[in-house]
Amino acid sequence: MHIDRQRPTTRLVTAVGLAVLTAAGMAAPAAADSEPAGAPRTQISRVLGGVVTTWINGNVRYGPSTDYAINYPVSAGFTSYGLCWKTGGWVNANGVAHDKWVKLSDNEWIWGGLLNGDETGGVSNYC
C-alpha cells in the first residue's frame, strides 16, 4: 500500500523539462494560460514525464534496483524531472512496498516509494 501525499499545485516548467523537449526535437507547447477556453490542455507529462519530489531522504542509483550502486543521496524535498518509470527491484521501506522505479533527467534511477504522489511520483510514461 502506498500512502498518497499531497502534491503542490503550483504549475512548474523547469529548464530541465524544456531542455528535454528541445533534445527530443519537440516544440515547446503554448503556455496553458494562452489556450482558448475549452481547448484541450497540452499533456507534456503524458509524453515525457514530470517534476518529481522526494518526501523522505533516499538514494539515487545507477539502475532500477537496490542491487545497483548508489550514485548520490537526496534529502526530503529533492526535486528533479522524471522521464519515465519501469518495474525493477522490489523495495519495502517506510511502510511502502512495490517495484516501481523512476528514471530521472540525469539518466539515474530513484525508487518511486521515495516520491510524493503515487508509486511513480505522478510520472505516467513507461520506459
Side-chain angles (χ1 to χ4, degrees):
M1 178 176 77
H2 183 79
I3 301 167
D4 190 15
R5 289 163 187 83
Q6 189 69 17
R7 297 188 76 165
T9 57
T10 305
R11 286 186 292 179
L12 175 66
V13 177
T14 65
V16 172
L18 293 175
V20 170
L21 282 174
T22 304
M26 300 175 69
D33 294 342
S34 67
E35 294 175 358
R41 296 249 177 202
T42 305
Q43 296 287 327
I44 297 173
S45 63
R46 290 197 179 265
V47 176
L48 297 172
V51 175
V52 295
T53 304
T54 57
W55 68 274
I56 193 167
N57 298 344
N59 296 310
V60 173
R61 297 180 177 270
Y62 288 104
S65 167
T66 56
D67 292 338
Y68 288 88
I70 295 169
N71 185 342
Y72 55 91
V74 295
S75 299
F78 166 81
T79 300
S80 185
Y81 195 84
L83 299 174
C84 57
W85 69 272
K86 71 182 296 185
T87 55
W90 189 267
V91 178
N92 184 353
N94 307 307
V96 181
H98 64 75
D99 60 354
K100 309 297 187 296
W101 290 77
V102 175
K103 187 174 189 177
L104 301 175
S105 59
D106 61 2
N107 290 318
E108 304 304 347
W109 295 86
I110 192 165
W111 176 56
L114 301 174
L115 303 174
N116 286 329
D118 60 15
E119 293 181 334
T120 63
V123 175
S124 59
N125 190 34
Y126 187 79
C127 297

